Structure formats: structure tokens, C-alpha cells
Amino acid sequence: MAASAPGKLILFGEHAVVFGEPALSTAINLRAEVFVRPHREWLADGASLDEPRFRYVKKAVEKSNAPGPLWIEIRSMVPSGAGLGSSAAVTVATLGSLHSLAGSIDPPTIAREAFDVEHEVQGRASPIDTSTAAAGGGLLVLRDKQENLLWSIERDSRRWFLHRAVLPPVDFVIGNTGISAATGPLVAKVKERVDRDPGAAAAIREIGEITLDGMRALEQRDLVSVGHLMDRNHALLTELGVGHPALDRLVSAARPSSYGAKLTGAGGGGSMFALTDRPSKTAEAIRAAGGKSFVVQADSRGVAKIG
Ligand code: MEV
């Protein structure tokens, strides 16, 4: 059995979404594939599931109660530690292949289980990465239920309503700093700041408003406004302490040939992306500033069986 799931790009609202603010993401056409078959012991890529690099896979196995033992093989096109949802894609694809053993794949069930896995491994988290990998396409996370609801997920006193968002077909140019940063500590750092600094709490609320304005601007194909909102979102994330000089370098290099640019995902390194109608020029500028650059598009497919 095998299943695949996409990586993701957060367009607006990372970190703020952990506090229940709105956020907007899209699945991208870089996917993780996970294959499972019966074996005499549990192994992932031929190694023990107890290795730290397999902690998401191990938790997914525990969560799904899959009959084993199984040999699990992971192939991922999503660079890890780059803010592009690699752990979520691998977790969701693992759950997809394990659920396939029992018959069918149900994206809402997988989204909930994958969020539990991520929450247990990462600590504080929102369901944006895992739900985007499960649902595919554009996803708008809101505090309340509106039209186009896909599912809702609760944890402690927070509840996230995940909605389908229809995005214009645009190219996103990604710039990867090559600096890998773990999400858990960055999420914890933002929480600590928000708890002690009212300015940080205000930045989180402003990011929530930017997300809603950004969604409206995207619906109206007003890419100039989308770009300004991206630039402001980047500044607020930097204020919250999740920026990095390498991210600023890539963002500054990309801006002259694009509508806007911002870090994406947890930050602290990882990646930025630019919205542009001159993708080759922007990618070249990012490379000249020392980043690894590639162009991605939205992927409408979420978790899916292979074959
Ligand atoms: C990481 O891709 C997105 C964060 O908002 C964390 C989360 O939502 O769990 C930084």
C-alpha cells in the first residue's frame, strides 16, 4: 500500500494561527510518498522507528493502530526543516498508507490524527500544516464556521475551522536559506513573547487582519495589494522574533521583481517566498543573494492512494 501528500506554503498567518487567528495556506506540487508492506519487524527506510528522524512516523503508527509489523519506505520531495511542511506531508502520507491497509482514506480523519501526531511531537501547534497536506489546494483557517467549511479541529480552549479557499493560479518562487530551524522552539518563543509583551499580542492580531485582507485581495486578483500585505506580514513576524538575516537578504533580493515577499512557515531560517509574474528573474535574484530557489504551483490533490 502507498499514499502521498503535499507540502505546503503558508501565504499569511503563520504563528498567529496557533493563537486562533486566521491563516491562509496552499498545498504545493512537492509531495511525500510513503509505502508500507508486511515485514518481520517494524522498520522505516530499513532503520529502527525509534530513531529521532522517524518520530512523526512512529507516532502516526501508534495513532492509527495499524496491524504490523510493517516495512515503511519514505520518499519526499519536500525539503525538510525548510518551512514547507515536510513533517506534515510525511505524517499525512504515512497515515494515508496505513489507513489504506484497512480499506479507505478519509481526509478529515487523517487530518485529525495527523494534528494529534504533530501536537504530540512538536508541542504547541495549529492544524494548518497537517490539514493542508490532508485536504490539498487552498485552505483558509478561521475562528468561526463560514461557507466552504471542510472540517474543524479543537485542542484545549482553541478551535480552528478549516475552509476551502480558491486561489488564483500563480507561480510562487521559494527561496530556501538552507538554515534548518525546528518549529517547536520557535512556536514556544512566540508564545513566551506574547505572554509578556502587549506589543507582540497586537502583532499577532494584526497578522490575523492581514490574512483576511490578503484573502480578499487574492479573490479580487489585486496582486499589488497582496504583495504589500506580504511585506507587512514579514515585518511583523520579524518583530515577533522568528526572522533571520538570511531571510531578510532573500526577501530584499526578491522584492524588486515581485509584488511582495515574506518568510513562510516557522521562520528562524527555513524559507521565504515571493509572489511574482517574473518567476525566472526573481529566482535568479534569490540565487544571487545566496538562497536555493525554485518555483512551485498550488497542488489541488491532498492525501491520495498511489496506484
Ligand atoms: C509552521 O508551518 C506554522 C506555524 O504556525 C506552527 C503551527 O501552525 O503549528 C509556525
Side-chain angles (χ1 to χ4, degrees), residues 56 87-88 113-123 125-126 129-130:
Y56 288 89
S87 327
E113 287 181 4
F115 174 58
D116 286 346
V117 169
E118 192 162 85
H119 204 278
E120 283 165 37
V121 176
Q122 177 179 303
S126 85
D129 291 11
T130 39

Side-chain angles (χ1 to χ4, degrees), residues 8 10 13-15 17-18 83 118 122 124-126 128-129 183 187 265-266:
K8 63 92 209 344
I10 298 186
E14 50 273 271
H15 286 289
V17 67
V18 181
E118 192 162 85
Q122 177 179 303
R124 239 173 105 76
S126 85
I128 193 166
D129 291 11
T183 302
V187 169

Side-chain angles (χ1 to χ4, degrees), residues 205-274:
R205 286 193 297 276
E206 187 180 340
I207 291 174
E209 284 157 23
I210 284 175
T211 296
L212 297 179
D213 290 346
M215 182 70 233
R216 273 189 290 272
L218 278 163
E219 277 166 355
Q220 290 159 5
R221 305 282 199 272
D222 177 1
L223 300 187
V224 172
S225 297
V226 176
H228 290 316
L229 291 161
M230 287 170 64
D231 294 350
R232 177 70 187 144
N233 195 162
H234 179 78
L236 289 166
L237 287 165
T238 306
E239 235 175 85
L240 286 168
V242 297
H244 191 283
L247 280 168
D248 287 341
R249 259 197 309 279
L250 303 191
V251 160
S252 303
R255 280 186 182 149
S257 61
S258 56
Y259 294 103
K262 65 178 273 292
L263 74 83
T264 185
S271 302
M272 50 67 70
F273 80 97

Side-chain angles (χ1 to χ4, degrees), residues 47-121:
S48 164
L49 284 191
D50 292 326
E51 287 197 10
R53 65 191 162 122
F54 297 127
R55 55 198 194 283
Y56 288 89
V57 172
K58 187 175 178 202
K59 272 268 180 280
V61 166
E62 288 165 9
K63 210 43 56 190
S64 71
N65 285 322
L70 298 168
W71 176 293
I72 303 171
E73 196 71 36
I74 302 151
R75 293 185 204 154
S76 181
M77 292 167 69
V78 191
S80 69
L84 301 174
S86 136
S87 327
V90 169
T91 303
V92 167
T94 303
L95 287 165
S97 60
L98 297 172
H99 279 249
S100 300
L101 288 171
S104 64
I105 288 186
D106 178 47
T109 306
I110 291 181
R112 291 198 175 90
E113 287 181 4
F115 174 58
D116 286 346
V117 169
E118 192 162 85
H119 204 278
E120 283 165 37
V121 176

Side-chain angles (χ1 to χ4, degrees), residues 169-175 223 250 253-260 272-288 292-297:
V170 286
D171 284 331
F172 300 107
V173 179
I174 294 184
L223 300 187
L250 303 191
R255 280 186 182 149
S257 61
S258 56
Y259 294 103
M272 50 67 70
F273 80 97
L275 180 65
T276 174
D277 44 24
R278 286 177 284 168
S280 319
K281 195 171 166 74
T282 306
E284 196 39 57
I286 290 171
R287 274 183 216 117
K292 291 178 218 157
S293 188
F294 45 97
V295 181
V296 298
Q297 286 89 29

